[in-house]
Amino acid sequence: MNLIYKEYIKFLRDVTWKELADIKEGYFWLDKQIIKGFDKYGNIHKFYRVVISNDLSTVELRKLKDYDNVEDVDLASWQDLIEMKKEHLKQIESEAIILIKEKMKEYQEYTSIIPVSMGKDSMLTCYLVRSLYPDTKAVFNNTTLDCKDTYRMAKRFSNCEIMNPRKGFY
C-alpha cells in the first residue's frame, strides 16, 4: 500500500479531467490500483479504482461504493493511523531489529551490504540496519528504468554505491 501524495493527485486530475476535490494528501492510500482510506476506528473504505487502458493511453477513475461524498467518512489521517498502530509498529520494529542482529552475527565473516531500490521497503530496511550498524554500505542497481527522482535520490544517499550497466535496458 502506498501513500497518495499531492503529485499523484495532480497526475490523476490531469489525466482524468476530474476535479477530485475529495482526495487530499495525508489521508489516502493506493493499493492494487484502488484508492482507499481508513476511518477513525481503523476500518478500511474503498473509494475508487484506477483503470488504465491496455495501451496506456487513458486513465479512468471508477467509484467503488455509493458514498455521496467521501467527506461522509470520518477519515483518519496518516498520523492518526500511526498513533492507532503505534504499539504494533514498535513490536514489528523490535522483531526486525532482533532478526537483523541474529543474521549479522550468523554471517559475521561476510561483508554486509544493503541492496536498495530507493523504494519504501528497501529504505526502511536500510534505516533499521544502519540504526544498528551505521557504516553498512548500500548498493543501488541502476536498471535504467527508474524515474529521474529515483536516480537523484540514489546519488544523494549516503554510503551508497551505484552499479551502472554497460548498456541501458532498451
Side-chain angles (χ1 to χ4, degrees), residues 132-147:
L132 296 168
Y133 309 98
D135 296 329
T136 307
K137 183 167 97 175
V139 175
F140 174 76
N141 182 28
N142 178 3
T143 63
T144 72
L145 296 173
D146 288 299
C147 67

Side-chain angles (χ1 to χ4, degrees), residues 11 25 32 52-53 61 65 102 153:
F11 162 76
E25 184 179 63
K32 299 178 184 156
I52 303 169
S53 65
L61 275 185
K65 285 224 175 193
E102 286 173 0
M153 192 171 165

